[in-house]
Amino acid sequence: MNRGGSSPSAAANYLLCTNCRKVLRKDKRIRVSQPLTRGPSAFIPEKEVVQANTVDERTNFLVEEYSTSGRLDNITQVMSLHTQYLESFLRSQFYMLRMDGPLPLPHRHYIAIMAAARHQCSYLINMHVDEFLKTGGNAEWLNGLEYVPQRLKNLNEINKLLAHRPWLITKEHIQKLVKTGENNWSLPELVHAVVLLAHYHALASFVFGSGINPERDPEISNGFRLISVNNFCVCDLANDNNIENASLTGSNFGIVDSLSELEALMERMKRLQEEREDEEASQEEMTTRFEKEKKESLFVVSGDTFHSFPHSDFEDDMIITSDVSRYIEDPGFGYEDFARRGEEHLPTFRAQDYTWENHGFSLVNRLYSDIGHLLDEKFRMVYNLTYNTMATHEDVDTTMLRRALFNYVHCMFGIRYDDYDYGEVNQLLERSLKVYIKTVTCYPERTTKRMYDSYWRQFKHSEKVHVNLLLMEARMQAELLYALRAITRHLT
């Protein structure tokens, strides 16, 4: 079925890059050129990020103290819009990459590469290829999985499931990895690996959701390392994150006056607060609302992004531009396959039965000391971070909004909180924001500047970065909950 009035013949003029999934015109010569924006992000004006960095000496101190590369990279620059959070992030990342832990340093970076490859995130892959070599990694491993020890290769299945359908992870997957034999994993090693995988899957969401640009390389005359160690996606390097998206998204995102959009959101928050005080929904009603939201979330992206043309119109034209597949198996496996199969009943994970606070935290700390504390601090930091502002409004309690964002991500992963009214998600998150959340969380490589621009147009860029931080941490926690629950079941 064609959406937005596009015809099959129009589709013949386009290609779909199999690496980054971006739609490109056939008559558009792909050339490797400098990113159109010279700042750390293709989505955020450079001056906004630079101002934050020049004012804040704390950021520079944190980079010196906790950055593995020793420089202010683009991710750090964008995150520095929220320095409090940045400290928690860098400390936990530094601990899992550099401090005492069960895994050798090169293995840690190779696992990061494997994780980033599930979302074709060339930015993170290139970063960790460099780090892998700097920490003494065997360069031959960079030729692909067939060159790595069987132990690392055995992580493929859990990498794939964690990234796309964590609800499928069972104690049998854990048993297979820790069974006796020369290629087995100890539980501490496996927990370290799982933390790294979840961290880099989620960080790929942040990279794509924030439009992080390729790094400038001081050793290259024009400042950009465009043909890097692994030239993963020529298309991505040439892409301005907006090529053809306007013509391919079919119907627009329901554009209304952005000021009235803000006022309407404020009004809905106020009304929900009043309703909450007046009456409480029954447990049965809360369950019904969760099931409704969960079912609806399966279809949020469909028709709004890449389904403007029938899939078959692209099939013969797919262009292979990527070496990224060398680090993964089953590259076609993704979140969307689950929705397409039309399974109505996602197996619901009742958050109260296995919580991060009561179960996950202590298990991680027991098997990989101190990382539990660092992750817990990071989760709490992002969840509670607030400046009590919304766009131009001050003294606003944004707790309700932050909880809706966090819980919507968990809802898409089948995690339900008994004490949360999922009716609030529909009230607070408009469709364009839901499309953005679903894309960034489930298929981050498809995120476009158009999607980023389409929601909360009155809000500051720093507030949208805060949204991305919430999405990243909610996703990481969801992955960890499923993996740690499986490990707990293996132990009992």
Side-chain angles (χ1 to χ4, degrees):
M1 188 174 94
N2 296 309
R3 306 289 299 228
S6 301
S7 67
S9 59
N13 299 320
Y14 295 90
L15 297 169
L16 185 64
C17 174
T18 52
N19 168 27
C20 67
R21 312 296 295 170
K22 295 213 170 55
V23 181
L24 306 161
R25 286 185 66 118
K26 278 186 181 173
D27 59 9
K28 203 170 202 105
R29 300 286 296 275
I30 297 174
R31 66 186 192 284
V32 178
S33 59
Q34 291 191 9
L36 295 187
T37 52
R38 298 184 67 87
S41 164
F43 297 175
I44 304 168
E46 184 178 11
K47 62 179 189 297
E48 291 207 22
V49 182
V50 170
Q51 278 169 357
N53 290 333
T54 48
V55 171
D56 199 47
E57 290 176 21
R58 182 78 185 149
T59 301
N60 296 324
F61 167 76
L62 292 173
V63 169
E64 284 174 30
E65 201 74 10
Y66 297 117
S67 168
T68 54
S69 67
R71 67 178 182 181
L72 187 64
D73 61 44
N74 289 344
I75 291 178
T76 309
Q77 286 191 66
V78 172
M79 280 190 189
S80 70
L81 291 165
H82 302 282
T83 320
Q84 273 179 294
Y85 169 82
L86 177 65
E87 180 163 1
S88 289
F89 174 84
L90 287 176
R91 283 179 65 210
S92 62
Q93 183 173 260
F94 187 78
Y95 189 87
M96 61 183 86
L97 289 175
R98 285 289 185 273
M99 301 295 280
D100 285 348
L103 294 173
L105 297 189
H107 282 59
R108 303 180 193 191
H109 291 290
Y110 201 86
I111 290 167
I113 292 167
M114 288 172 71
R118 285 305 325 174
H119 289 303
Q120 302 99 44
C121 186
S122 54
Y123 178 93
L124 289 175
I125 292 169
N126 287 329
M127 178 184 278
H128 288 280
V129 162
D130 287 353
E131 296 280 325
F132 172 76
L133 294 170
K134 280 180 195 162
T135 52
N138 181 346
E140 200 174 293
W141 292 10
L142 298 176
N143 291 322
L145 288 176
E146 60 269 36
Y147 296 87
V148 305
Q150 187 62 41
R151 276 178 89 244
L152 272 175
K153 213 183 291 188
N154 289 348
L155 281 180
N156 259 313
E157 186 70 8
I158 206 162
N159 181 25
K160 177 177 88 170
L161 294 177
L162 264 182
H164 307 295
R165 305 181 211 168
W167 52 86
L168 296 181
I169 293 173
T170 64
K171 68 177 183 181
E172 284 72 30
H173 291 109
I174 307 303
Q175 282 160 358
K176 205 170 162 187
L177 287 164
V178 300
K179 69 177 190 294
T180 53
E182 57 179 327
N183 297 318
N184 73 305
W185 289 75
S186 70
L187 277 174
E189 286 173 331
L190 183 56
V191 167
H192 193 172
V194 160
V195 167
L196 284 164
L197 290 171
H199 176 78
Y200 283 102
H201 294 153
L203 190 54
S205 284
F206 183 83
V207 168
F208 286 115
S210 304
I212 301 294
N213 272 329
E215 289 295 328
R216 288 170 176 244
D217 193 328
E219 295 167 22
I220 306 296
S221 58
N222 67 3
F224 287 96
R225 179 198 301 181
L226 291 170
I227 307 297
S228 50
V229 181
N230 296 349
N231 182 21
F232 291 101
C233 190
V234 177
C235 141
D236 194 49
L237 292 167
N239 172 47
D240 70 350
N241 257 311
N242 213 9
I243 297 173
E244 303 306 331
N245 284 324
S247 62
L248 286 172
T249 45
S251 57
N252 65 25
F253 287 91
I255 293 168
V256 295
D257 175 65
S258 55
L259 203 56
S260 63
E261 185 183 68
L262 172 64
E263 298 305 330
L265 177 59
M266 298 278 291
E267 189 54 46
R268 286 196 301 274
M269 286 172 68
K270 188 180 167 190
R271 193 176 66 247
L272 280 171
Q273 191 59 51
E274 288 165 359
E275 286 172 8
R276 205 190 263 176
E277 287 162 10
D278 288 347
E279 57 174 311
E280 222 172 272
S282 68
Q283 202 57 52
E284 193 179 349
E285 178 62 22
M286 301 265 261
T287 306
T288 305
R289 288 175 189 177
F290 170 77
E291 292 301 330
K292 182 171 179 281
E293 195 56 52
K294 185 173 71 170
K295 202 178 292 182
E296 282 181 8
S297 79
L298 292 177
F299 306 105
V300 160
V301 170
S302 182
D304 284 294
T305 50
F306 286 85
H307 304 287
S308 302
F309 296 131
H311 202 67
S312 58
D313 286 329
F314 288 121
E315 221 59 67
D316 298 333
D317 292 333
M318 283 197 168
I319 44 176
I320 309 292
T321 59
S322 168
D323 293 331
V324 72
S325 59
R326 68 175 85 172
Y327 298 120
I328 54 173
E329 287 175 0
D330 197 1
F333 186 92
Y335 181 97
E336 63 181 353
D337 296 345
F338 184 89
R340 277 184 185 161
R341 218 175 290 141
E343 294 183 18
E344 298 234 342
H345 301 290
L346 275 168
T348 298
F349 181 127
R350 290 182 70 251
Q352 280 69 14
D353 296 341
Y354 195 93
T355 66
W356 164 256
E357 293 80 7
N358 298 332
H359 307 91
F361 168 77
S362 55
L363 179 67
V364 168
N365 253 11
R366 180 154 59 91
L367 294 169
Y368 177 21
S369 61
D370 289 339
I371 193 66
H373 289 293
L374 291 164
L375 292 176
D376 190 57
E377 181 193 319
K378 184 161 65 83
F379 292 146
R380 288 175 192 273
M381 172 64 70
V382 79
Y383 196 80
N384 297 317
L385 183 67
T386 183
Y387 306 93
N388 297 113
T389 60
M390 266 176 69
T392 51
H393 294 262
E394 295 185 353
D395 299 318
V396 183
D397 182 354
T398 59
T399 309
M400 185 183 286
L401 203 49
R402 283 178 277 128
R403 193 172 183 196
L405 289 162
F406 200 90
N407 287 1
Y408 185 57
V409 172
H410 279 199
C411 174
M412 288 186 297
F413 285 100
I415 299 173
R416 176 186 161 221
Y417 294 85
D418 286 350
D419 61 348
Y420 183 67
D421 179 359
Y422 287 85
E424 291 188 7
V425 166
N426 260 344
Q427 293 284 313
L428 297 173
L429 311 182
E430 80 229 35
R431 185 167 178 78
S432 59
L433 176 51
K434 281 184 170 183
V435 168
Y436 177 77
I437 294 170
K438 179 79 179 279
T439 308
V440 168
T441 308
C442 303
Y443 347 79
E445 59 277 13
R446 297 182 181 183
T447 311
T448 63
K449 185 175 188 299
R450 177 181 164 78
M451 287 179 198
Y452 174 90
D453 290 338
S454 72
Y455 82 94
W456 286 6
R457 277 153 303 161
Q458 279 293 308
F459 283 65
K460 297 189 277 285
H461 286 287
S462 62
E463 290 171 313
K464 291 192 168 192
V465 170
H466 187 184
V467 168
N468 287 340
L469 296 176
L470 273 163
L471 304 185
M472 171 173 75
E473 295 299 352
R475 178 183 178 180
M476 182 180 184
Q477 193 180 95
E479 289 190 26
L480 285 178
L481 284 172
Y482 278 110
L484 297 172
R485 183 179 69 168
I487 291 171
T488 299
R489 286 175 174 174
H490 160 73
L491 288 168
T492 49

